Amino acid sequence: MSLNMYYKRGMIRKARCQISDDILPTLYQIHNNAKFPQLTWLIDTLYDNPQIQPEIASALASEMEALEKLILSLHLPFPRLSLQKIHTFFIEAATNQQTIYTVSD
């Protein structure tokens, strides 16, 4: 099951992103890690259709960047493009002060 995320960009348009099944195993590797509290929260509420406020989106973006650095330092394979897309999505939502709405499949 994937998590579809979006925020409003203008009157009609929406910015969209997805946490797909291919990235979930990577996220679960850091579940309950004290260095990743917002990602742990997101994992725990993934299928409850959480709303993500701009300040949480900013924290999530920082944690996504830290996660990528951690994985790279360990020389582990991971879906790099997917992580970067999600990171960029969270940054844009935070910068534009937009609430992210989610819908799970």
Side-chain angles (χ1 to χ4, degrees):
M1 291 178 57
S2 61
L3 180 69
N4 297 303
M5 302 180 291
Y6 67 92
Y7 65 87
K8 295 177 184 175
R9 184 185 284 173
M11 294 283 286
I12 300 172
R13 297 180 62 205
K14 294 179 182 174
R16 299 179 185 276
C17 190
Q18 182 182 65
I19 296 178
S20 60
D21 294 336
D22 69 327
I23 199 167
L24 288 178
T26 302
L27 293 179
Y28 276 108
Q29 290 179 23
I30 52 88
H31 187 255
N32 286 332
N33 184 320
K35 294 180 181 178
F36 301 99
Q38 297 306 322
L39 282 171
T40 294
W41 168 81
L42 184 61
I43 292 165
D44 288 343
T45 61
L46 202 62
Y47 302 114
D48 297 337
N49 299 332
Q51 288 186 6
I52 303 169
Q53 300 303 318
E55 60 277 0
I56 301 299
S58 178
L60 283 165
S62 296
E63 289 181 20
M64 293 295 284
E65 186 175 4
L67 174 60
E68 184 175 347
K69 288 178 182 177
L70 173 65
I71 294 170
L72 286 170
S73 73
L74 298 172
H75 305 286
L76 299 172
F78 68 100
R80 186 176 199 165
L81 187 58
S82 295
L83 276 178
Q84 289 174 341
K85 285 181 180 180
I86 296 168
H87 175 257
T88 300
F89 179 78
F90 286 142
I91 286 176
E92 289 174 356
T95 301
N96 294 311
Q97 292 294 298
Q98 294 295 316
T99 299
I100 299 171
Y101 299 93
T102 63
V103 179
S104 58
D105 288 346

